[in-house]
Amino acid sequence: MKKAPEDHRTRVAADRREKMRARLIESAMLVFARRGADGSVIDEVITTAEVSRGTFYHYFRTNEELLAAVAAEVGNQLLQIVDPVIRELPDPAARVACGIRLALTVARAHPCLAGFMARVGPPALGAQSLATVYLPRDIEAGIESGRFAPMPPRLAFDLITGPVLAAFHTLQTEAVPDDYPQQMAQAVLMALGVPKAAAAKAAALPLQPLQLGEDALLVRAQARAALASA
């Protein structure tokens, strides 16, 4: 049975809107990675995306709304790749350590991610980020099992995300050894109360390679950044 022409037009229009929104988010990520979140970046995003001002405002009304959308898209795509890997680990300390290492490994391979996270900072982990869902899950399991020292969950969240955000900046600005992500993971676990030997063991577990599809935001943004600098 053939679908009505209006159904086809509706689907095509929806696909076009989705692609335009993705282009704006991709462009905004590159701009935020260069400029940070201070001040308005709307004009630069419009130029980077090569769209009209009217088109931009059809999707986003403010700088803050744009940043929230980009932060959610960036963080959630990363976590949707990382979480299925770490979820298989029964030890919450190992899950936190592997999550840190995988995030920093991806950031090393995709400098636009490191630039975005470093320049935007904590707002990149806003309420729409899956980090506020997945990470507290592992923190609570670690505290309840005695793997982590007793502490307020929010404090543990900051003890993890603060150093990782700093690590994104370090990856952008300095040459670091190959095992830097492992060192960072071990240090964070020790800050959470895991003994040094146990932290070192959890931070040294083998990692599965991550695969990012060609349509992933990080892959698209990195390709555009490479073209712009060529």
Side-chain angles (χ1 to χ4, degrees):
M1 181 178 178
K2 290 185 177 181
K3 291 187 177 182
E6 54 268 24
D7 292 340
H8 173 72
R9 288 196 294 269
T10 299
R11 188 170 63 253
V12 169
D15 184 58
R16 188 181 296 117
R17 286 194 299 271
E18 183 178 339
K19 287 181 178 178
M20 177 55 69
R21 187 177 188 277
R23 181 173 181 81
L24 290 170
I25 287 178
E26 176 187 317
S27 300
M29 179 188 176
L30 295 173
V31 174
F32 281 125
R34 293 193 300 263
R35 293 266 309 272
D38 295 333
S40 177
V41 300
I42 290 175
D43 287 344
E44 194 168 344
V45 171
I46 289 171
T47 300
T48 302
E50 298 180 331
V51 300
S52 69
R53 186 171 297 275
T55 296
F56 175 88
Y57 281 110
H58 180 72
Y59 292 86
F60 301 105
R61 293 169 295 178
T62 65
N63 202 66
E64 291 73 22
E65 185 178 316
L66 177 63
L67 175 60
V70 177
E73 190 79 14
V74 172
N76 292 352
Q77 278 200 11
L78 179 61
L79 286 166
Q80 285 166 357
I81 297 167
V82 169
D83 193 66
V85 175
I86 67 174
R87 199 185 303 161
E88 298 180 2
L89 300 170
D91 176 19
R95 291 202 294 269
V96 169
C98 287
I100 291 171
R101 292 169 62 199
L102 287 170
L104 295 182
T105 298
V106 173
R108 176 176 265 168
H110 300 274
C112 58
L113 169 63
F116 175 80
M117 299 298 287
R119 287 179 175 80
V120 172
L125 302 172
Q128 297 183 58
S129 172
L130 289 177
T132 62
V133 176
Y134 294 154
L135 191 50
R137 173 200 65 194
D138 296 333
I139 289 171
E140 290 173 12
I143 294 173
E144 289 175 2
S145 66
R147 199 72 162 111
F148 302 154
M151 67 181 72
R154 179 67 210 194
L155 175 59
F157 184 91
D158 289 344
L159 284 174
I160 297 169
T161 58
V164 171
L165 287 171
F168 285 129
H169 176 73
T170 297
L171 290 175
Q172 276 274 291
T173 58
E174 299 180 29
V176 296
D178 290 342
D179 66 346
Y180 176 76
Q182 183 175 326
Q183 293 177 23
M184 177 59 68
Q186 179 180 338
V188 169
L189 291 186
M190 291 172 63
L192 294 171
V194 180
K196 183 176 181 180
K201 182 178 180 180
L205 291 173
L207 290 180
Q208 296 183 28
L210 294 180
Q211 297 293 331
L212 278 71
E214 292 182 0
D215 61 340
L217 172 62
L218 298 179
V219 174
R220 299 196 321 267
Q222 197 63 43
R224 284 189 65 190
L227 284 174
S229 61

